[in-house]
Amino acid sequence: MTSSGQEPPQNQILPLINLFTRGSFHDVLIEIEEMRKIFPNSVLLYNISGSTHTELRQFDLAIDNYKKALVIKPDYADAFCNIGIVQKKIGELDESILSYKKAIKFNPLHAVAYYNLGDALKGQGKLEEAVEVYNKAVAIKPEYADAYYNLGNALKDQGKLEEAVEVYNKALKIKPDYVEAYSNLGVVLIDQGKLKEAVEVYNKALSLKPDDAYAVENS
């Protein structure tokens, strides 16, 4: 029997999210198949299914699910963003950029789409554009530590070391156990000749992740 509502209630979605978070991806897909019997036009179920297939590296199935969601809801920004993520994983950067831009077109406040667009642009060496896009992501979502981190990386690659230090520190304020941010902050501090500060930063990275090879080498 199908439901008159298109989407499952939150109390049915939360167990799926919990299974996904635990990495029980095959169980997620089994549950979704059962739920689709009641909610055959749920874009959310197609989206979760797509994300699950992505984690299983079943990229064709992932994109197929996202596209099914878009048939039902052509302006579904999350699906466009997630298609872009898959395209980036398989090396289709140009296509992923188009997908992220479609997500932003339908949801101009989609911080995750801006973040991933920044990554794709950075991957193409378009650092100025990447910096602009990362800044949009953190303007929309000020607690977005990963966006600050990658913004710092783009600024570092541009040689804007002072700005990179500032941005890495913002990432660390939000996420104090961000090992990668400590490591890259250490790189910038060395480039600035601030060796004592760099050692302190690398030691912090090592306290969080003792097998951080780069921090071991530079501490």
Side-chain angles (χ1 to χ4, degrees):
M1 186 177 84
T2 61
S3 169
S4 58
Q6 186 161 298
E7 298 294 340
Q10 190 72 3
N11 63 357
Q12 292 184 38
I13 291 297
L14 285 176
L16 274 184
I17 301 300
N18 289 334
L19 285 171
F20 185 93
T21 302
R22 294 202 304 267
S24 302
F25 301 124
H26 292 289
D27 291 337
V28 172
L29 295 175
I30 290 169
E31 290 296 322
I32 285 175
E33 282 307 306
E34 288 301 310
M35 293 173 72
R36 278 203 185 120
K37 294 175 183 177
I38 303 172
F39 303 98
N41 294 315
S42 167
V43 295
L44 185 55
L45 289 178
Y46 279 119
N47 194 47
I48 296 172
S49 182
S51 296
T52 305
H53 284 297
T54 300
E55 292 296 327
L56 292 169
R57 302 190 66 78
Q58 298 169 341
F59 298 130
D60 288 343
L61 289 172
I63 289 179
D64 182 61
N65 274 274
Y66 294 135
K67 287 183 175 179
K68 286 177 179 176
L70 288 169
V71 169
I72 299 166
K73 187 178 180 182
D75 61 350
Y76 191 22
D78 286 355
F80 281 116
C81 181
N82 287 335
I83 287 172
I85 289 170
V86 175
Q87 290 167 328
K88 182 173 179 291
K89 284 180 181 292
I90 60 179
E92 297 178 352
L93 283 183
D94 289 336
E95 292 84 351
S96 74
I97 287 170
L98 291 175
S99 293
Y100 298 137
K101 287 181 176 179
K102 286 178 182 177
I104 291 165
K105 174 185 175 183
F106 291 117
N107 181 1
L109 298 178
H110 204 303
V112 175
Y114 279 113
Y115 165 76
N116 283 288
L117 176 57
D119 282 357
L121 291 168
K122 185 175 179 294
Q124 291 185 327
K126 298 175 180 177
L127 295 178
E128 286 189 18
E129 292 180 52
V131 166
E132 180 181 351
V133 169
Y134 287 133
N135 275 318
K136 288 180 179 177
V138 297
I140 295 165
K141 187 178 178 183
E143 299 301 303
Y144 204 162
D146 288 344
Y148 277 118
Y149 170 69
N150 281 353
L151 172 57
N153 292 340
L155 291 167
K156 175 172 68 69
D157 291 347
Q158 286 183 306
K160 297 179 179 179
L161 303 186
E162 288 291 340
E163 292 179 51
V165 168
E166 181 181 350
V167 169
Y168 286 136
N169 280 322
K170 286 181 179 178
L172 289 166
K173 184 177 180 180
I174 298 164
K175 187 179 177 183
D177 61 348
Y178 206 148
V179 175
E180 294 81 3
Y182 278 115
S183 292
N184 283 11
L185 175 56
V187 171
V188 173
L189 291 170
I190 287 176
D191 288 345
Q192 291 180 313
K194 299 177 180 178
L195 301 184
K196 183 179 178 180
E197 292 180 45
V199 169
E200 291 175 359
V201 166
Y202 285 129
N203 283 336
K204 181 63 177 179
L206 285 171
S207 72
L208 294 167
K209 187 179 179 183
D211 60 346
D212 187 331
Y214 197 90
V216 170
E217 181 182 341
N218 288 281
S219 63

